[in-house]
Amino acid sequence: MAAFFFFIIFSSVLSFSTSQTTAPPPPPPPQSLLNAAETLSNSGYVSMSLTLELISDTILSRATKHSLSPSALTIFTPPDSSFVNSGQPSLSHLLLHFSPLSLSLSSLQSLPFSSKIPSLSPSSSLYITSLATDLQISINNIKIVGSPIYDDGYVVVFAIEDFFSQNFTRPNTNQNPNFKSSPQCITFDPFSRFYEVSLMLKSKGYLIMASFLELQLIGFLKINNDSPPLKLTVFAPMDDAIVGYAGDFSEYQQLFLRHLVPCVWYWTDLNNGTEIKNYVSGFNMMIKKVNDVAFVNGVEITYPDLYYNDWLVVHGLQSVIPLPDEIDEEMGENFGKDESNNAVNFDVSMAPDHSEF
């Protein structure tokens, strides 16, 4: 059943990609923030509107630093009365009210109690403190007021009753009366560790590989000191190169696994003649470089170090890495074409003259 669900998702992703392989570019992030600031002012949240205009460069800078799309942003705005009562908060405190995710009301409602929501604050975090049965969503024990004030698909603005506390500690899940502990359960994080790279890949035309990474359950597993370190290199073909595999469910596993390597290979590590083992048995990757252009099994690496950190590297490819039998088939087809062409282009002047017979 799980495998069927996995295939259905991928079939949908691939079908979507056949008609629209690259998402339309988002509007300029500064303009989205300016539009949000104007809406805030018109809605009576003048203090937050002015604050947003003042720190917009900082917001975009921090989003870029964390490798997140600057267009994806959720803003939680307290009323003007909170600014009057508390005075001007510090920059760190203000950044707690910005999340580098585009969160809809339904997505917030779907998050379980004590789920962590990333913020742009360097020292504080946000946590869901409402239960599924509650009428209002609360974050850090501060309630969200109604529906979004502003939502252009990239930037979402919610009104909240007051400032979030910087010293708020994550609530214990045992505080949830509906929570039942079981030694056989594992805990998932609400957001995958592949979230950042998937955002970037989608913006560059690698929607299918991004969706593949988002579906990996390992991305949601909590990491502790006893967990083995995750190291991955992804050779990501463009969407146009993968859509031809749509519907071929039996090939999905091999298709994607042969583009993954269980270690980190930065661009500077890919030297001519380097041989890399991947997740497909009996299938290795060979790196060749010609005039600073690198190829993996004959496929050009068109976008080296497309994304990288200390445990994950993504290199963009022009096409899918073929399997050895696919290479043999292609060579056979080309050989047949060459023979056919040779027969057609045979120079009749070189043939013996049989007219005398």
Side-chain angles (χ1 to χ4, degrees):
M1 184 67 179
F4 177 75
F5 179 67
F6 174 84
F7 290 146
I8 288 295
I9 292 176
F10 259 111
S11 180
S12 300
V13 171
L14 289 169
S15 298
F16 171 80
S17 299
T18 57
S19 60
Q20 185 175 347
T21 56
T22 305
Q31 187 59 49
S32 287
L33 292 181
L34 289 175
N35 292 342
E38 182 179 357
T39 302
L40 279 167
S41 179
N42 294 336
S43 302
Y45 295 87
V46 178
S47 297
M48 194 59 166
S49 173
L50 295 173
T51 300
L52 182 57
E53 292 178 357
L54 287 172
I55 66 172
S56 59
D57 290 342
T58 302
I59 293 170
L60 296 177
S61 174
R62 288 197 62 82
T64 303
K65 179 180 178 181
H66 290 282
S67 302
L68 295 173
S69 168
S71 299
L73 192 70
T74 298
I75 304 170
F76 300 98
T77 175
D80 285 356
S81 58
S82 295
F83 283 87
V84 173
N85 296 333
S86 303
Q88 182 64 34
S90 65
L91 177 60
S92 176
H93 193 186
L94 284 171
L95 291 175
L96 181 61
H97 297 76
F98 295 83
S99 174
L101 302 172
S102 186
L103 295 167
S104 65
L105 190 63
S106 59
S107 63
L108 287 172
Q109 290 171 334
S110 69
L111 293 176
F113 180 82
S114 192
S115 293
K116 181 179 179 180
I117 300 175
S119 77
L120 294 184
S121 172
S123 57
S124 304
S125 297
L126 301 174
Y127 301 97
I128 293 291
T129 50
S130 53
L131 304 176
T133 54
D134 292 342
L135 297 178
Q136 282 183 284
I137 301 169
S138 70
I139 299 174
N140 289 22
N141 286 335
I142 301 296
K143 291 181 179 179
I144 291 178
V145 181
S147 300
I149 298 173
Y150 177 84
D151 184 356
D152 65 359
Y154 303 100
V155 177
V156 184
V157 181
F158 288 99
I160 55 177
E161 293 183 340
D162 203 350
F163 282 112
F164 295 132
S165 171
Q166 283 186 288
N167 301 320
F168 188 83
T169 56
R170 186 172 195 166
N172 192 318
T173 50
N174 291 327
Q175 296 176 18
N176 181 354
N178 299 322
F179 176 79
K180 294 182 179 180
S181 178
S182 170
Q184 299 180 13
C185 292
I186 59 174
T187 304
F188 282 168
D189 281 324
F191 301 101
S192 171
R193 75 183 75 177
F194 293 112
Y195 174 78
E196 295 182 10
V197 64
S198 68
L199 271 182
M200 186 278 305
L201 285 172
K202 289 176 182 178
S203 70
K204 300 292 185 181
Y206 299 86
L207 171 64
I208 298 175
M209 288 301 290
S211 300
F212 165 68
L213 290 174
E214 287 178 336
L215 287 170
Q216 304 311 302
L217 289 180
I218 192 173
F220 295 92
L221 292 176
K222 290 186 176 295
I223 302 299
N224 53 48
N225 294 333
D226 298 327
S227 303
L230 180 62
K231 301 288 183 180
L232 280 178
T233 298
V234 180
F235 292 91
M238 294 287 290
D239 288 347
D240 289 341
I242 304 181
V243 292
Y245 292 84
D248 195 357
F249 297 157
S250 62
E251 296 297 321
Y252 283 176
Q253 182 186 38
Q254 193 177 65
L255 170 65
F256 290 106
L257 287 184
R258 72 179 186 245
H259 292 85
L260 301 183
V261 177
C263 45
V264 171
W265 287 88
Y266 299 103
W267 171 246
T268 53
D269 299 326
L270 300 178
N271 299 315
N272 188 41
T274 300
E275 187 173 1
I276 306 172
K277 291 185 178 181
N278 67 3
Y279 280 104
V280 179
S281 178
F283 180 78
N284 294 341
M285 296 181 176
M286 180 65 71
I287 303 297
K288 288 189 177 181
K289 279 191 174 181
V290 180
N291 297 329
D292 291 331
V293 178
F295 299 83
V296 52
N297 288 20
V299 177
E300 183 180 351
I301 301 176
T302 53
Y303 206 143
D305 286 349
L306 178 63
Y307 175 93
Y308 61 90
N309 55 30
D310 59 346
W311 61 271
L312 175 65
V313 182
V314 179
H315 302 296
L317 300 183
Q318 189 175 37
S319 59
V320 171
I321 297 175
L323 290 171
D325 56 348
E326 293 174 344
I327 297 175
D328 293 340
E329 289 176 7
E330 184 177 349
M331 291 180 65
E333 291 175 1
N334 292 336
F335 180 74
K337 290 179 182 178
D338 291 341
E339 284 190 330
S340 175
N341 290 338
N342 288 338
V344 172
N345 297 327
F346 184 75
D347 189 352
V348 294
S349 65
M350 298 296 293
D353 184 5
H354 296 288
S355 59
E356 59 183 290
F357 300 103

